[in-house]
Amino acid sequence: MSKSMSYFIFLSLLAIVPLCIASKNYNGYLNPQYYDRSCPHVQHIVSSVVSKAVAKDPRMAASLLRLHFHDCFVKGCDASLLLDNSGSIVSEKGSNPNKNSARGFEVIDEIKAEIERACPHTVSCADILAIAARDSTVIAGGPNWEVPLGRKDSVGASLSGSNNEIPAPNNTFQTILTKFKRQGLDLVDLVALSGAHTIGNARCTTFRQRLYNQNGNGKPDFTLNQAYASMLRQQCPRSGGDQNLFFLDHTTPFKFDNLYYKNILAYDGLLNSDQVLLTKNRASMELVKLYAENTRIFFDHFAKSMVKMGNLFPLTGAQGQIRKNCRRVNSS
Ligand code: HEM
Ligand SMILES: *[C@@H]1O[C@H](CO)[C@@H](O)[C@H](O)[C@H]1NC(C)=O
């Protein structure tokens, strides 16, 4: 082989290596340019509907961000969460983590309807959830990132998956970490993604136990700031008021910032699952401190972990379908 020929092969290999690395980042299939030709305005349509919805209801940014999480943890990011009850489908909307809680489905419907008008039968509901989660984060003041695209929608839902895979607020630190690891997410992802609780609300019923009877001994959780606890008790009584709403980040409830972590350092984490990030694990504690000190690092890790979560078990290529209506599978 001539010298120039082997040099040419060497150069070609150099060109291929970055492509392989890039496609690995995109889970082998997903990529941010997926709709560039088939639906060039998809990003613009999603962001304009999300902005409008958040202008009308500032909590909506939080609600849309959470939908992507509750979708991805159950059979992967396949929009299974969006299916309503019908025929053989038992909707995930009725699960413990979602009932009386998950919201924003009408906004997703509106985005889907606008996209169907612009590019019929082209953009999946799973991709809409991923883009809407990113846009919600940006609108609330958080980091931006490129969203890998090309997911397909499921033809089924899993109520038991929704009940079992999504962590509960009174799960132990170890159980929560195990549920993240089951998804291929690690401790850094857990601490960074929990930072989503810098916006949005939680109901009394999700943290009442901490106020009155943390360990079944009739005493409050001693890792809860007692001044903050007595404030919470006024609107979250021993019984009744289950659905009363509280800010997850009582300092800057609508701003995506790192004050969630500062609250935790002050024992002002609302959910038990928030506070245990400080109190139950050394590495997790160090990350809480790091993010409380450094917004740039928090934003960087959050964006990376969101891409990682968005890449969980997507349906691609011939798998799944592109639903015409996010609430039901296409009739064949
Ligand atoms: C680490 C384990 C997690 C637990 C135990 C947990 C638990 C909860 C609970 C109990 C609520 C309140 C629900 C209600 O009362 O209606 C909530 C709200 C919320 N969660 Fe999480 N969550 C976790 C992780 C995440 C992740 C990874 C994200 C997104 C990346 C997220 C985003 C949100 C948002 C934005 C809200 C507010 C939603 C709204 O106001 O509509 N959470 N979470
Ligand atoms: C966690 O909360 C659920 C729902 O409120 C409750 O049924 C369960 O007993 C709690 N688990 C623990 C360990 O406290």
Side-chain angles (χ1 to χ4, degrees):
M1 198 187 316
S2 76
K3 218 172 184 175
S4 67
M5 185 63 183
S6 51
Y7 189 61
F8 173 75
I9 292 172
F10 173 72
L11 279 182
S12 312
L13 284 174
L14 274 188
I16 289 166
V17 168
L19 280 178
C20 297
I21 293 169
S23 66
K24 186 163 175 245
N25 282 341
Y26 302 141
N27 216 16
Y29 306 100
L30 306 181
N31 78 81
Q33 283 78 43
Y34 191 81
Y35 297 114
D36 278 6
R37 277 152 181 264
S38 58
C39 195
H41 301 304
V42 63
Q43 307 259 356
H44 174 77
I45 296 170
V46 178
S47 74
S48 67
V49 177
V50 171
S51 313
K52 217 176 52 183
V54 174
K56 223 167 73 183
D57 168 13
R59 183 186 171 194
M60 192 51 72
S63 305
L64 294 173
L65 173 55
R66 187 170 183 234
L67 289 185
H68 184 44
F69 163 49
H70 283 203
D71 178 33
C72 292
F73 266 54
V74 184
K75 306 194 298 121
C77 312
D78 61 357
S80 57
L81 169 63
L82 301 180
L83 291 171
D84 284 339
N85 284 320
S86 85
S88 65
I89 286 163
V90 184
S91 177
E92 293 171 18
K93 295 174 185 178
S95 72
N96 295 324
N98 290 333
K99 66 169 178 260
N100 300 318
S101 181
R103 61 199 289 279
F105 298 109
E106 299 75 15
V107 177
I108 300 298
D109 289 340
E110 196 184 332
I111 296 169
K112 178 63 172 175
E114 276 208 29
I115 291 176
E116 285 300 297
R117 280 194 288 276
C119 358
H121 205 221
T122 303
V123 179
S124 68
C125 300
D127 281 343
I128 291 173
L129 285 172
I131 302 170
R134 188 273 315 273
D135 290 347
S136 296
T137 304
V138 171
I139 288 167
N144 199 351
W145 63 91
E146 273 199 309
V147 182
L149 298 167
R151 301 168 189 80
K152 295 283 163 53
D153 300 324
S154 74
V155 295
S158 175
L159 180 68
S160 63
S162 186
N163 280 323
N164 298 325
E165 308 301 330
I166 297 172
N170 65 354
N171 281 162
T172 64
F173 176 87
Q174 215 25 260
T175 299
I176 295 170
L177 183 59
T178 300
K179 287 181 178 179
F180 269 68
K181 288 199 168 157
R182 222 183 274 162
Q183 305 285 351
L185 299 176
D186 60 24
L187 182 119
V188 175
D189 299 313
L190 166 60
V191 182
L193 290 174
S194 292
H197 291 174
T198 178
I199 53 174
N201 296 352
R203 292 159 305 142
C204 164
T205 179
T206 62
F207 61 86
R208 171 184 284 124
Q209 198 179 350
R210 304 187 70 204
L211 301 179
Y212 302 104
N213 193 19
Q214 174 71 348
N215 298 309
N217 59 3
K219 295 216 169 73
D221 181 351
F222 69 91
T223 68
L224 179 61
N225 180 325
Q226 292 307 306
Y228 182 49
S230 38
M231 207 178 73
L232 294 171
R233 281 189 206 100
Q234 292 175 14
Q235 302 296 323
C236 186
R238 268 174 204 281
S239 68
D242 285 15
Q243 311 298 317
N244 292 354
L245 292 176
F246 297 78
F247 294 130
L248 281 159
D249 165 8
H250 71 94
T251 49
T252 52
F254 298 105
K255 192 160 172 21
F256 196 107
D257 54 22
N258 69 338
L259 294 193
Y260 165 79
Y261 299 102
K262 295 193 185 201
N263 293 339
I264 291 178
L265 290 179
Y267 296 95
D268 274 2
L270 182 63
L271 306 176
N272 193 62
S273 52
D274 297 323
Q275 198 59 54
V276 294
L277 298 178
L278 181 74
T279 58
K280 299 292 179 189
N281 179 281
R282 184 61 184 269
S284 168
M285 176 187 78
E286 295 299 342
L287 284 166
V288 169
K289 288 183 178 165
L290 178 66
Y291 298 157
E293 266 164 32
N294 193 319
T295 300
R296 194 181 47 77
I297 298 180
F298 164 47
F299 278 15
D300 181 63
H301 286 191
F302 184 82
K304 289 202 171 79
S305 293
M306 282 297 288
V307 171
K308 216 168 142 185
M309 184 176 83
N311 281 342
L312 293 175
F313 318 109
L315 300 171
T316 55
Q319 300 171 311
Q321 58 177 221
I322 292 165
R323 284 182 217 142
K324 296 196 177 77
N325 177 331
C326 293
R327 293 176 182 268
R328 39 184 182 270
V329 300
N330 299 333
S331 46
S332 45

